[in-house]
Amino acid sequence: MSGPAGPSKQMILHLYHSALRSSRSFSSYNFRNYFIRRTQDTFRSIQAETDPSKVATMYSDAMKELVVLRRSAIVNQLYGGWKLAVEEPAPKDEDILTRSDS
Amino acid sequence: MSFLRLAARPATFSRPFLNVYYSQRQLPARWYSAASGLTKEAIENRVLSVFKGFEKVKAEQLVPSASFKNLGLDSLDAVEVVMAVEEEFSIEIPDEAADEMETVEQVIKYISETPEAH
């Protein structure tokens, strides 16, 4: 799949891991799920690509996107907003264990 | 000088006393740094339930000895499975360790060897 300059399978998998991890760290439900889906689609298309030079450009594009993704995830963690109704709700007061002396 | 000697004296007295105290009485203590109480079965059940969450995995083939390939997972799916396991146990699995995982059993083994997993 890879020529002398092309990315190895391992490098692509590591990039996939990092990209998925960044996508998961978005705090807004819509952004988070969109970027997870987008990352999955991007890497499926890399997997389906047979031309090594195209794989190399797709890899470097995904690499550049990872930088943007990380930065946006951090900003989104700061300004993420509230949880949506479709998300798992925050634990109720009675479910949170508290110390008996507090 | 003399006040130094005075200051040192209580320490020399208290040490043997403390030794007796610690050896004779069991102090109530929580060993926060001790290994988590995850049993092998608990880990196995939780890892298997993570695998069950994937559509591609066929439930009847899901046994600890099964490899990712036999379960119908390719390398990209394997990364996703490892991420789901990371989330389940609140740990981060480094890429080098994740690369070596090829069977369900290896995942269970890694979790049981990771004290941070809970």
Side-chain angles (χ1 to χ4, degrees):
Chain A
M1 179 169 105
S2 66
S8 69
K9 181 183 171 184
Q10 229 179 23
M11 282 159 75
I12 297 176
L13 289 180
H14 289 177
L15 183 64
Y16 186 44
H17 200 164
S18 315
L20 266 187
R21 211 178 256 168
S22 305
S23 308
R24 274 215 182 150
S25 66
F26 277 85
S27 81
S28 310
Y29 175 87
N30 284 323
F31 283 171
R32 186 170 60 238
N33 284 278
Y34 168 69
F35 283 117
I36 289 175
R37 234 180 312 125
R38 195 187 129 94
T39 308
Q40 286 171 346
D41 291 347
T42 309
F43 280 82
R44 286 288 165 202
S45 66
I46 294 180
Q47 189 185 35
E49 187 59 63
T50 47
D51 183 2
S53 67
K54 271 193 188 160
V55 169
T57 43
M58 284 165 116
Y59 177 81
S60 62
D61 285 349
M63 198 75 152
K64 276 176 210 149
E65 272 177 17
L66 174 65
V67 179
V68 181
L69 203 60
R70 280 196 175 143
R71 207 164 47 221
S72 335
I74 291 170
V75 174
N76 190 251
Q77 280 162 22
L78 297 173
Y79 305 104
W82 292 287
K83 277 200 164 199
L84 301 187
V86 289
E87 289 181 78
E88 205 167 278
K92 278 183 235 139
D93 275 352
E94 59 263 29
D95 293 336
I96 299 173
L97 295 176
T98 48
R99 279 162 49 145
S100 56
D101 58 347
S102 62
Chain B
M1 274 312 270
S2 61
F3 79 85
L4 273 183
R5 208 173 292 156
L6 262 179
R9 197 163 285 165
T12 54
F13 275 127
S14 65
R15 205 157 285 161
F17 163 73
L18 267 181
N19 281 345
V20 170
Y21 187 71
Y22 278 121
S23 60
Q24 287 184 347
R25 289 190 53 170
Q26 271 208 323
L27 291 175
R30 287 185 185 177
W31 305 105
Y32 288 108
S33 59
S36 63
L38 283 180
T39 60
K40 187 99 182 163
E41 295 86 63
I43 295 173
E44 197 176 304
N45 285 337
R46 282 169 66 185
V47 168
L48 288 180
S49 70
V50 166
F51 276 86
K52 264 179 216 151
F54 279 79
E55 281 174 25
K56 286 187 180 178
V57 175
K58 293 174 200 91
E60 63 269 19
Q61 286 175 338
L62 191 55
V63 281
S65 59
S67 72
F68 293 169
K69 220 169 256 168
N70 290 345
L71 291 173
L73 301 169
D74 61 16
S75 51
L76 290 181
D77 294 321
V79 171
E80 285 174 37
V81 167
V82 168
M83 295 244 353
V85 171
E86 281 182 341
E87 206 172 12
E88 170 71 25
F89 291 93
S90 324
I91 50 169
E92 279 204 8
I93 300 173
D95 285 335
E96 298 78 50
D99 286 341
E100 285 167 14
M101 289 178 185
E102 275 164 10
T103 65
V104 182
E105 220 152 31
Q106 280 170 323
V107 178
I108 296 171
K109 187 163 170 280
Y110 181 85
I111 300 294
S112 57
E113 285 166 359
T114 309
E116 299 90 56
H118 57 82

